[in-house]
Amino acid sequence: MARIAFLGMGVMGAPMAGHLAAAGHEVRVYNRTAAKAEAWAGKHGGSHASTPRAAAEGCEIVMACVGNDDDLRGVCLGEDGAFAGMGEGTLFVDHTTVSAGVTRELAEAAGGKGIAYVDAPVSGGQAGAENGQLVIMCGGAQADYDRAEPVMDAYAKLARRMGEVGAGQLTKMVNQICIAGLLQGLSEGMRFAQMAGLDGEAVVDVIQGGAAGSWQMVNRHKTMLAGEYDHGFAVNWMRKDLGICLAEAEAMGAPLPATALIDQFYKDVQSMGGGRWDTSALMARLEKLSEG
């Protein structure tokens, strides 16, 4: 069992840290809003710290799951940052979905202090975190991944090293690009079925076992048909992720025409007040369009 610091007690980080504590690790947590860290410690029997540095001191592994590039820099760097409290030979594992650029920047800063770095963005959403069924895409040296993998096993359905530092974030970008396209296609199909007078659930029962089937179809079609979007991965976060994808694609010259278009569709959903809705709310945009 390891001494672990976990930075970020959001809807993903709190249950992930909970699984670590349940697995027997000694876990100390930090959150920008201290009350969340205190509540976590009260529930899971771990401890909490007032700064990332204080959380990291004395720990073998520090893990983070925060909001964006700037949030990650904030918990890593500076006098109160985690790196300032980490000793040589310790390991930093980042579960945040961020740009490959900030990943390489922070990995270089960590390396200068003798700290190993693994980027490990996750897929599976809040339900996956709560149920310990996340898919984790990792980048880093093989030896560093080998240290992280048995710890991450507490909340992973699957973890895999995809290459050197940054490869995990690039793989997560592929994941988000594919999800965006799937959800737009599913939204169009479900709305078409409704307007054609078909029983949407019966349609899915027939087609989900064939070439059109997907996780999104199986797990989201009922709520989409019911117009229910107050769950799952928020549109605001998807736009953040797609922005990362589009910026990286532009830098490498990779065409993402459909992804760029769907990003604008999500912007429309935000303008409808749906920034906190699930990403399947692309369906709500189509409903609005068809109703004039």
Side-chain angles (χ1 to χ4, degrees), residues 11 229-237 269-270 273-279 281:
V11 296
Y229 307 111
D230 295 326
H231 59 271
F233 189 65
V235 167
N236 288 340
W237 290 114
V269 175
Q270 288 176 318
R276 299 297 297 272
W277 292 348
D278 179 72
T279 47

Side-chain angles (χ1 to χ4, degrees), residues 22-231:
H25 297 291
E26 181 182 334
V27 183
R28 185 188 304 146
V29 301
Y30 163 81
N31 194 72
R32 185 165 50 191
T33 303
K36 290 186 177 181
E38 293 170 4
W40 183 94
K43 179 179 179 180
H44 295 281
S47 60
H48 61 92
S50 59
T51 67
R53 177 176 182 165
E57 287 175 343
C59 290
E60 305 154 60
I61 301 174
V62 177
M63 306 176 118
C65 190
V66 292
N68 55 36
D69 285 21
D70 289 339
D71 293 333
L72 186 61
R73 286 191 184 96
V75 298
C76 288
L77 304 177
E79 184 177 339
D80 289 329
F83 290 174
M86 297 176 70
E88 186 172 354
T90 55
L91 173 65
F92 187 85
V93 179
D94 175 37
H95 289 305
T96 317
T97 297
V98 291
S99 67
V102 79
T103 293
R104 297 183 186 110
E105 170 195 330
L106 293 175
E108 183 176 354
K113 294 177 60 66
I115 300 167
Y117 194 104
V118 172
D119 60 297
V122 301
S123 181
Q126 183 177 348
E130 291 173 349
N131 296 324
Q133 293 291 298
L134 293 170
V135 173
I136 310 178
M137 301 148 263
C138 301
Q142 184 69 55
D144 299 334
Y145 171 79
D146 289 342
R147 289 173 62 191
E149 193 276 333
V151 176
M152 297 187 298
D153 187 60
Y155 43 77
K157 176 172 66 175
L158 171 69
R160 182 168 178 176
R161 177 180 178 268
M162 305 306 296
E164 298 302 319
V165 167
Q169 297 296 346
L170 292 169
T171 304
K172 179 63 183 288
M173 293 178 207
V174 175
N175 186 77
Q176 302 305 75
I177 291 165
C178 293
I179 287 173
L182 282 170
L183 282 170
Q184 180 62 21
L186 180 58
S187 296
E188 292 183 14
M190 293 297 93
R191 187 57 180 160
F192 181 91
Q194 286 180 327
M195 296 184 71
L198 297 171
D199 180 333
E201 290 198 27
V203 169
V204 170
D205 283 344
V206 170
I207 69 174
Q208 67 182 352
S214 68
W215 184 97
Q216 297 292 344
M217 179 178 287
V218 172
N219 290 278
R220 290 288 180 261
H221 76 277
K222 290 185 178 181
T223 49
M224 291 170 73
L225 290 168
E228 298 171 355
Y229 307 111
D230 295 326
H231 59 271

